[in-house]
Amino acid sequence: MPRPIGRSFFGRSVHEVAPDLIGTTLLVAGVGGRIVEVEAYHHTDPAAHSFHGQTARNAVMFGPPGYVYVYRSYGIHWCLNFVCEPKGSAAAVLIRALEPQAGLATMRRRRGMSDQRLLCAGPGRTCEALGVTALHNGLPLDKPPFAILARAEAVEVITGPRIGLTKAIDKPWRYGLKGSRFLSKPFPPAG
DNA sequence: TGCCCGATTAACT
DNA sequence: GTTAATCGGGCAA
């Protein structure tokens, strides 16, 4: 059986945690799957919510690592982040896509569609499939309803530019599972 | 106080 | 390729 990941896993550089999360399994109340795509954000990064300082919305990002930061995107969707680095770094990893594995029927019902490839192919889609909302903001990752299980085998991680940004678009801080068909978008060819 | 814009998605043309 | 849906933060006035 895979080993549960503890909160201490997240108390490192966000650029170490992000690739290490690829291939781990994320469950919310038993529903979820293998993480295949994430992005890294840090308070020194102009594209990060924490760049302009602490507010009521992003307060969790300024707290200790290993907690969940949920925010509303474009006034419609929810996006799920894991807080990383020692308290005060205001760094986080955005969960962008999963390979659905557990609770498929529940995810299909929540998403209102059946195509397994599209159930969790994007940050908003992942939150809808897992039932993540603002109610989960600030919860610890190592206690129910959340659970993260270590990889069962080695994976090959690829990097590329982040999606949907207008600032710091040159930073290759998007991480993905090589060859996965569950990515929100393909990674650009190397080179 | 008001205006602009965004770590998105789905349904158009 | 384009656009609507729709909310909170940053910034100007």
Side-chain angles (χ1 to χ4, degrees):
Chain A
M1 278 296 287
R3 168 180 61 85
I5 285 179
R7 251 180 278 173
S8 61
F9 176 88
F10 298 93
R12 301 176 286 144
S13 164
V14 71
H15 298 299
E16 295 179 28
V17 176
D20 281 357
L21 278 172
I22 300 298
T24 65
T25 297
L26 167 65
L27 299 174
V28 181
V31 176
R34 188 161 63 146
I35 297 176
V36 298
E37 181 183 344
V38 302
E39 285 176 2
Y41 290 87
H42 189 271
H43 80 279
T44 57
D45 168 12
H49 285 177
S50 52
F51 181 70
H52 295 285
Q54 185 171 343
T55 66
R57 173 173 69 152
N58 65 25
V60 175
M61 280 186 80
F62 289 82
Y67 285 79
V68 170
Y69 167 50
V70 179
Y71 69 89
R72 199 188 271 285
S73 176
Y74 289 85
I76 303 173
H77 308 287
W78 297 108
C79 291
L80 172 65
N81 300 253
F82 298 165
V83 179
C84 297
E85 308 201 359
K87 175 173 177 170
S89 287
V93 171
L94 169 68
I95 307 303
R96 286 194 56 89
L98 303 184
E99 176 181 338
Q101 289 174 329
L104 293 178
T106 300
M107 290 195 275
R108 288 194 173 104
R109 173 171 48 78
R110 287 171 175 159
R111 294 275 293 112
M113 50 85 82
S114 58
D115 186 342
Q116 187 169 341
R117 191 180 66 81
L118 297 177
L119 283 180
C120 301
R125 290 163 171 166
T126 300
C127 282
E128 186 172 36
L130 269 54
V132 170
T133 70
L135 297 176
H136 297 89
N137 192 40
L139 295 181
L141 279 165
D142 58 353
K143 293 196 172 73
F146 290 96
I148 302 178
L149 308 179
R151 311 190 263 242
E153 54 195 54
V155 297
E156 196 165 348
V157 177
I158 53 179
T159 65
R162 293 176 293 182
I163 305 293
L165 303 187
T166 59
K167 301 167 188 171
I169 55 178
D170 55 311
K171 301 290 199 305
W173 291 346
R174 178 180 181 224
Y175 300 86
L177 177 62
K178 183 176 182 180
S180 174
R181 59 186 271 264
F182 298 95
L183 300 172
S184 66
K185 291 173 107 171
F187 277 72

